[in-house]
Every structure is written in structure tokens, then in C-alpha cells.
Amino acid sequence: MSALQVLGDGDNQERRELEERVLTAQADESSGQREALLGEYQSYIIRIASRICKRSITLQDDEYTIALAGFNEAITQYRRSEPSSFLTFAYMVIQRRLTDYYRREQKHQNQVPLIPPDARENESVHKEVVAESFEQFRERELAEIRRSEIEQFTQALARFGIKLTDLVKASPKHRDTRENMLSIALEIAANQQWMEEFLHQKKIKKSFAEQIGCHRRTLKRHRIYLTALVLVLVEDLPLMRDYLGLPIDRKGGGIRAEGDGNGSQSAALCGADS
């Protein structure tokens, strides 16, 4: 079982609705969906471009223009049969376009071209080969991104003395429980004080449980699983957040969790001892 499977089912209404909007944008340019998506996901595009470029990207940078074009390309190319969600697919397209951009910017005066002058003609003859190579590249790229994020996630867990094997054992069996824990994790991660108290306190205090609106025994029982969810929210793990149906361009609490609001929604989700 993978780290993603342990954390949740990875299937939700918002993701399906987004993919339907993308398909509508492809089928009907007059629908306005393409322009709406480009506007709504501007912060996502900036964040992903910044992550790939390893520096802060603004609307005035060429990298943003290229990333925006990559997102637009992803809208055009996405297919329902894709093994990944639309946002994961868009991430890969943006990364590929920015990588190509930086390669073009490099000055190699005496480099022998890897592509022969008649490449365009050959490409039209060998479309099937080109398409297959593109798919293989995409799968390798996605696998590498996932591997990197799982490694980062494993390191984050280790700061709190948690192993992936511990997480497998601690994962709730029932989907409703996992969804409830995710809602509680979202509230904890959105409040810096709650997050630090939850992650660093040796024992869960009754006063903290009352603030969250959840029974102390419930928090104690699911502490490993909740810690893992909070780390997904505060670490730079966009693909894992996408898998869980969370906003890919945000970090709960706004800070990274280092080892050592009000709980209105969780109060409704967390019974006396769920």
C-alpha cells in the first residue's frame, strides 16, 4: 500500500467537477470555461512555477507567461483516460514547458544539434513513435515527482518519530472516519497556534481538545494519522494534496512543521468518542 493510499481514497466531487469543466472548455470554446479556469487557478500557476524555478515568480516574469501557457495547453490536451488528475497533469505540462524554456536560454555555441534539420518531416512520418515517447516521458516524470514527494513526506514524518509502517497501521479503516479526520486536520493546519500545540505537545490536553471541538480520546487514538494529514497540508507536497482533493496551491497554517480560529466544523464531525 502506497503512502497516498494510506492517507485516503483520492476521489472527490470537486475533482470530478474540475475535470468536467476542462472537458467542457475543450468541447465548447464559447462556454467561457477556459478563461474562467485560467483566472481561478492563477495562484496555483504562480506557486507551481515558483516551486519548479526555486524562486518567487510574479505576474511580470517570463516564467509566469510560460507556466500560464502550459496550464492552457494542459486544458487542451487533458483526456478523461489520463491516469492522473487534471491538476497533476497540468503540473507536469508546466514543468516540461519551463524546463524547455531554460534549456533554450542556455548558450551552447558549438553544440551539435541532437535533432536533424529534417526533423519536422520525420516527425510527421513517425507520429505514433513520437506520441509513444511522449507518454513514456510523462509517466517517468510523474513517477519521479511522486518519488520525490514521498521521500520528503517520509522525512517529515520521521521528525515526529513516525514511520510509514506506523501510518499504515494507524490508518482508519472506515472512509467516513478518514474524511472526518481530514476535516479536523484542515482546521488544525489553518490555525498556527493549534498546529504547533498539536504537533509538539507530549500529551493532548483537555483544553486543546475542547478548542478543536473533538473528544480527547479521539484525537489521541488518531494522532499518528492526523499528524500525517497536517504534514501533508503544511509541507510542500502539491501532488499529495491534489490526490486528497485539497487545494494544491496552499499551505495550511502558512509554515513548515518542524519536529522536536474555532473548531466549528470539527465539533459537528467529532462525537464524544468517534
Side-chain angles (χ1 to χ4, degrees):
M1 182 178 292
S2 71
L4 293 177
Q5 290 172 321
V6 169
L7 288 170
D9 301 298
D11 184 26
N12 62 83
Q13 184 65 27
E14 286 186 8
R15 177 183 300 176
R16 290 193 296 272
E17 289 177 355
L18 172 58
E19 292 172 0
E20 287 298 329
R21 291 179 65 191
V22 169
L23 296 175
T24 299
Q26 294 174 0
D28 182 8
E29 289 293 339
S30 65
S31 67
Q33 284 291 357
R34 184 181 296 269
E35 292 75 14
L37 288 168
L38 291 172
E40 290 173 28
Y41 284 88
Q42 183 182 81
S43 60
Y44 162 78
I45 295 168
I46 292 173
R47 177 166 174 75
I48 293 305
S50 299
R51 183 174 190 264
I52 293 169
C53 299
K54 294 181 170 55
R55 68 179 181 85
S56 179
I57 298 298
T58 68
L59 296 175
Q60 287 70 45
D61 290 318
D62 290 342
E63 287 86 347
Y64 169 73
T65 303
I66 292 165
L68 181 67
F71 191 88
N72 186 51
E73 179 185 344
I75 294 175
T76 300
Q77 292 188 354
Y78 185 76
R79 298 293 179 265
R80 195 187 296 273
S81 58
E82 283 288 335
S84 55
S85 73
F86 169 72
L87 288 180
T88 300
F89 177 75
Y91 181 102
M92 290 189 293
V93 175
I94 291 171
Q95 184 182 57
R96 185 166 60 250
R97 291 294 161 254
L98 285 169
T99 299
D100 290 344
Y101 166 72
Y102 281 120
R103 285 174 179 166
R104 288 195 302 270
E105 289 296 299
Q106 292 176 350
K107 306 299 181 181
H108 296 300
Q109 294 289 336
N110 300 318
Q111 189 171 14
V112 178
L114 296 177
I115 301 175
D118 62 344
R120 289 186 180 277
E121 294 182 16
N122 290 336
E123 184 175 324
S124 64
V125 175
H126 302 290
K127 287 184 178 179
E128 295 82 2
V129 175
V130 172
E132 183 177 353
S133 298
F134 179 78
E135 291 300 325
Q136 291 174 352
F137 172 76
R138 179 190 298 170
E139 287 303 313
R140 289 196 302 270
E141 192 172 37
L142 178 59
E144 175 59 26
I145 295 169
R146 283 176 174 160
R147 184 204 62 76
S148 176
E149 286 203 3
I150 290 174
E151 181 179 344
Q152 181 180 339
F153 179 56
T154 302
Q155 292 172 355
L157 288 174
R159 295 202 298 269
F160 296 90
I162 301 172
K163 300 177 182 178
L164 279 179
T165 52
D166 299 330
L167 183 55
V168 172
K169 295 175 184 177
S171 177
K173 293 181 174 60
H174 299 292
R175 180 171 182 171
D176 287 349
T177 304
R178 292 196 298 270
E179 291 176 351
N180 288 351
M181 292 302 104
L182 180 55
S183 296
I184 295 168
L186 281 164
E187 292 205 31
I188 292 174
N191 185 308
Q192 184 172 331
Q193 181 179 346
W194 288 0
M195 184 180 70
E196 292 179 345
E197 187 173 353
F198 173 74
L199 290 174
H200 297 284
Q201 63 186 350
K202 299 298 181 181
K203 293 177 63 178
I204 295 176
K205 300 175 183 177
K206 183 178 179 180
S207 58
F208 175 78
E210 289 174 346
Q211 280 184 302
I212 300 298
C214 188
H215 198 282
R216 182 171 55 174
R217 285 199 299 270
T218 301
L219 294 177
K220 181 179 179 181
R221 177 186 305 158
H222 297 294
R223 178 157 190 168
I224 290 176
Y225 186 72
L226 272 172
T227 299
L229 289 175
V230 172
L231 290 175
V232 170
L233 291 166
V234 300
E235 292 286 326
D236 193 12
L237 302 168
L239 296 194
M240 295 186 78
R241 283 199 292 275
D242 177 35
Y243 180 84
L244 293 172
L246 301 171
I248 197 172
D249 61 333
R250 61 157 281 182
K251 285 187 182 182
I255 63 171
R256 290 170 63 89
E258 297 298 334
D260 82 33
N262 296 320
S264 56
Q265 290 183 12
S266 55
L269 293 166
C270 223
D273 189 14
S274 57

